[in-house]
Amino acid sequence: MKKRSADTSPRARALFAAAALATALAAPCAFAGPTAAPANAYAYIGYPNDGQTVPAGKPFKVWFGLRYMGVAPRGVKFPNTGHHHLLIDVDLPPMDQEIPSDRNHLHYGAGETETLLELPPGKHTLQLLMGDDKHIPTNPPVYSKKITIYVK
């Protein structure tokens, strides 16, 4: 019996690539939560600005911006809404799990759009991440650019 070799013709490779792409597109996304968000929505930090220095030893205001999406408190499930989470000195968490709640992941589940924050002297990063009614990032994830501030 003659052994068959794999078909490596351009046509076979194209069919394989098309099948792999169709499978990937049909599979549920494991990289974000179950709550839909508008594709054009984005979050931003309105203050402080990237690279800004804020005074040490006293609280400073951080205000949150959001476009093409609404803010709703935790537990309120309404289309195209979520609530803010402020990430301090950390990278984005897994997008298919509940956002941690600790000193580096602050939750604003009452629907707040600003806060007073006091940080120790030094270089810090801030980033916003929107969560759904259960603190899980939306799909697609809505987050701000990570900014760097200096506390002196």
Side-chain angles (χ1 to χ4, degrees), residues 37-38 40-47 63-72 79-85 111-114 128-131 138 140-144:
N40 61 344
Y42 63 95
Y44 60 95
I45 297 173
Y47 184 86
W63 68 266
F64 316 144
L66 182 63
R67 300 286 268 180
Y68 307 114
M69 191 171 165
V71 176
N80 299 323
T81 65
H83 63 275
H84 294 284
H85 298 82
E112 301 97 317
T113 57
E114 63 181 45
L128 291 172
L129 174 61
M130 294 303 292
T138 58
V142 176
Y143 54 90
S144 71

Side-chain angles (χ1 to χ4, degrees), residues 1 29 105 136:
M1 177 178 230
C29 180
H105 302 83
I136 299 172

Side-chain angles (χ1 to χ4, degrees), residues 65-140:
L66 182 63
R67 300 286 268 180
Y68 307 114
M69 191 171 165
V71 176
R74 180 192 196 284
V76 174
K77 189 167 183 69
F78 195 75
N80 299 323
T81 65
H83 63 275
H84 294 284
H85 298 82
L86 182 61
L87 311 181
I88 304 168
D89 298 329
V90 292
D91 291 325
L92 290 168
M95 294 293 140
D96 60 344
Q97 298 173 23
E98 185 174 338
I99 299 165
S101 181
D102 56 35
R103 66 186 183 99
N104 298 100
H105 302 83
L106 304 182
H107 289 234
Y108 295 92
E112 301 97 317
T113 57
E114 63 181 45
T115 190
L116 288 175
L117 189 63
E118 186 172 351
L119 295 173
K123 178 180 175 181
H124 298 279
T125 62
L126 303 176
Q127 187 171 28
L128 291 172
L129 174 61
M130 294 303 292
D132 68 8
D133 60 309
K134 296 181 177 110
H135 296 293
I136 299 172
T138 58
N139 187 3

Side-chain angles (χ1 to χ4, degrees), residues 47-62:
Y47 184 86
N49 297 309
D50 189 27
Q52 187 166 350
T53 299
V54 296
K58 67 180 201 175
F60 60 93
K61 186 182 282 194
V62 179

